[in-house]
Amino acid sequence: AQSVSQHNHHVILSEAASLELGCNYSYGGTVNLFWYVQYPGQHLQLLLKYFSGDPLVKGIKGFEAEFIKSKFSFNLRKPSVQWSDTAEYFCAVKSGFQKLVFGTGTRLLVSP
Amino acid sequence: EPEVTQTPSHQVTQMGQEVILRCVPISNHLYFYWYRQILGQKVEFLVSFYNNEISEKSEIFDDQFSVERPDGSNFTLKIRSTKLEDSAMYFCASSEEALSTDTQYFGPGTRLTVL
């Protein structure tokens, strides 16, 4: 069965610090990978997704993620975070079926 | 921008009661989903629905659960006899297609509290 691990449950950063959130998945076949964000009081929104091609994908709001197949990883990065990036971030994988399999999420708090 | 909407935002019910959670997917989408998130746990897939049929369901989605598209716009999740462990945030999602690359768009969720 597919699974997704997000090792950082809570991250606290100051504004302008760089961000990297880890995501590892377990599945041997072709996967499609997603990062969703949930801002306080809002619904899950897609940040970015990877399904083929360039393993470095760029998303909204300056986020990017790198797919490293050999490491089964899809880490999310942002070079300089802002207070408005305070949110919960979810990594998810889909492998040809319809369901998304989510990680446990990482709560990011950015202090001004 | 079109959005998935859900009502109510919060539902409180007594154990053993039936609840119906409602969702309005994005209008040109054909695939609909329910997920849930128990407090402190992962977002878990419950069921997917296409062409008036369940296309995939998880082991969580037992006989107590059912889904329906009663008209051209609503998509509902019914829990027949709620248990304490059904307390969770329930998210509806929709997508245009069911390709593995397709984005699922989520609603804001309904927080269900079973007392």
Side-chain angles (χ1 to χ4, degrees):
Chain A
Q2 301 163 57
S3 68
V4 178
S5 298
Q6 291 181 246
H7 306 295
N8 314 105
H9 298 297
H10 291 90
V11 173
I12 301 173
L13 294 172
S14 300
E15 271 193 318
S18 65
L19 170 72
E20 181 159 3
L21 302 182
C23 173
N24 288 91
Y25 64 93
S26 64
Y27 184 71
T30 302
V31 291
N32 297 286
L33 297 152
F34 303 78
W35 274 98
Y36 280 84
V37 61
Q38 189 173 29
Y39 297 104
Q42 296 188 29
H43 56 276
L44 285 160
Q45 301 172 41
L46 182 71
L47 266 182
L48 49 78
K49 65 181 181 182
Y50 171 81
F51 51 94
S52 66
D54 189 344
L56 185 63
V57 292
K58 295 195 183 297
I60 60 171
K61 305 188 183 191
F63 286 91
E64 64 180 30
E66 185 175 12
F67 170 55
I68 303 179
K69 189 174 181 180
S70 60
K71 294 185 178 179
F72 297 89
S73 70
F74 189 55
N75 292 355
L76 181 71
R77 299 196 292 247
K78 185 170 183 178
S80 176
V81 294
Q82 301 170 309
W83 175 78
S84 57
D85 293 324
T86 294
E88 189 158 16
Y89 292 81
F90 295 91
C91 182
V93 63
K94 198 160 35 139
S95 63
F97 297 102
Q98 295 158 18
K99 69 177 183 183
L100 283 165
V101 176
F102 284 88
T104 50
T106 298
R107 286 189 186 275
L108 172 65
L109 174 63
V110 180
S111 56
Chain B
E1 186 175 321
E3 287 185 340
V4 176
T5 59
Q6 290 184 243
T7 54
S9 55
H10 192 185
Q11 172 96 45
V12 181
T13 190
Q14 296 289 327
M15 194 168 55
Q17 295 296 304
E18 175 183 285
V19 293
I20 297 176
L21 309 183
R22 291 183 167 79
C23 168
V24 179
I26 294 172
S27 62
N28 64 330
H29 286 185
L30 301 176
Y31 293 83
F32 315 117
Y33 313 84
W34 283 102
Y35 291 81
R36 78 171 186 191
Q37 186 179 27
I38 295 171
L39 190 64
Q41 298 186 24
K42 296 184 181 189
V43 176
E44 301 172 290
F45 171 80
L46 292 178
V47 66
S48 59
F49 189 87
Y50 169 70
N51 200 26
N52 283 318
E53 286 184 349
I54 290 173
S55 47
E56 190 178 357
K57 63 181 182 179
S58 72
E59 60 275 9
I60 302 168
F61 194 88
D62 62 21
D63 292 344
Q64 292 299 311
F65 291 89
S66 62
V67 288
E68 194 178 30
R69 189 151 162 85
D71 54 43
S73 58
N74 289 284
F75 177 52
T76 61
L77 174 69
K78 183 194 290 186
I79 309 175
R80 287 192 185 81
S81 177
T82 50
K83 307 185 191 74
L84 295 176
E85 54 265 36
D86 294 327
S87 294
M89 182 73 94
Y90 288 81
F91 295 103
C92 174
S94 69
S95 64
E96 271 188 83
E97 306 267 353
L99 301 174
S100 56
T101 55
D102 269 340
T103 299
Q104 293 179 16
Y105 293 86
F106 284 78
T110 293
R111 182 169 296 284
L112 176 65
T113 302
V114 182
L115 303 175

